[in-house]
Amino acid sequence: MLPESNDERLGFMKRTHIVLLVLVAAAVCIIVSMFGDFSTYETFASASKQPGKQYHVIGFLEKDKSMDYDPLRDPNHFSFFVKDKAGNTSKVIFNGSKPTDIEKSEQIVMTGYAEGDVFRCSKIQMKCPSKYKKDQIAVGTGG
């Protein structure tokens, strides 16, 4: 068996390096696409452009609007209104029990998706006032 020439070995190494670089680039793209969805907070308007897609929306509870929660009728249905950072108000439906002291929250971060005129929320994180530190309370339905 004759030894390979230097040119053949260099050509093989170059092809191997190119293939490895392509595989690494593809892996990075896949990881970024999987974890890049929740990197920023959205508004109700941007969430409604892609109904069904999960978003984080940050806003403020509209305390002058009605909240609907009747644990005897349906303990896993709570609806309320939130104004997002852009000033848009939307009805939010949370499939879980009403979080304790939601009325005292300063901000609400919701994870969910737009469906028609409402935002369907699967997780609520409340930022509550405290005279010692900023407390955060998270409530979710596991979905």
Side-chain angles (χ1 to χ4, degrees):
M1 192 186 267
L2 297 172
E4 294 179 5
S5 69
N6 283 338
D7 290 339
E8 288 176 356
R9 276 187 249 150
L10 286 175
F12 176 75
M13 288 177 58
K14 287 179 183 177
R15 283 191 298 264
T16 304
H17 286 117
I18 291 171
V19 169
L20 287 174
L21 285 173
V22 169
L23 290 174
V24 168
V28 168
C29 289
I30 290 170
I31 291 170
V32 168
S33 69
M34 288 175 57
F35 296 107
D37 287 342
F38 292 117
S39 61
T40 60
Y41 295 113
E42 297 292 333
T43 62
F44 290 125
S46 60
S48 66
K49 290 179 183 175
Q50 291 187 319
K53 184 176 178 187
Q54 291 279 321
Y55 287 102
H56 279 150
V57 175
I58 189 168
F60 308 94
L61 181 68
E62 287 283 276
K63 297 176 182 177
D64 59 333
K65 296 199 178 207
S66 67
M67 286 190 266
D68 180 31
Y69 181 64
D70 184 354
L72 297 176
R73 184 179 42 149
D74 186 355
N76 291 316
H77 179 85
F78 172 51
S79 66
F80 55 102
F81 290 86
V82 172
K83 182 183 285 188
D84 66 15
K85 293 274 190 174
N88 301 316
T89 300
S90 179
K91 182 176 184 176
V92 177
I93 298 175
F94 177 58
N95 292 324
S97 61
K98 178 182 173 187
T100 305
D101 294 334
I102 192 169
E103 297 88 357
K104 295 178 183 177
S105 66
E106 288 181 347
Q107 286 183 334
I108 300 174
V109 179
M110 300 157 293
T111 303
Y113 61 93
E115 182 181 77
D117 294 345
V118 301
F119 186 78
R120 295 216 169 255
C121 179
S122 61
K123 183 178 177 186
I124 298 173
Q125 184 174 2
M126 300 177 299
K127 188 174 184 182
C128 299
S130 172
K131 62 181 177 179
Y132 300 110
K133 63 180 181 179
K134 295 294 181 192
D135 295 330
Q136 290 190 358
I137 302 166
V139 179
T141 60

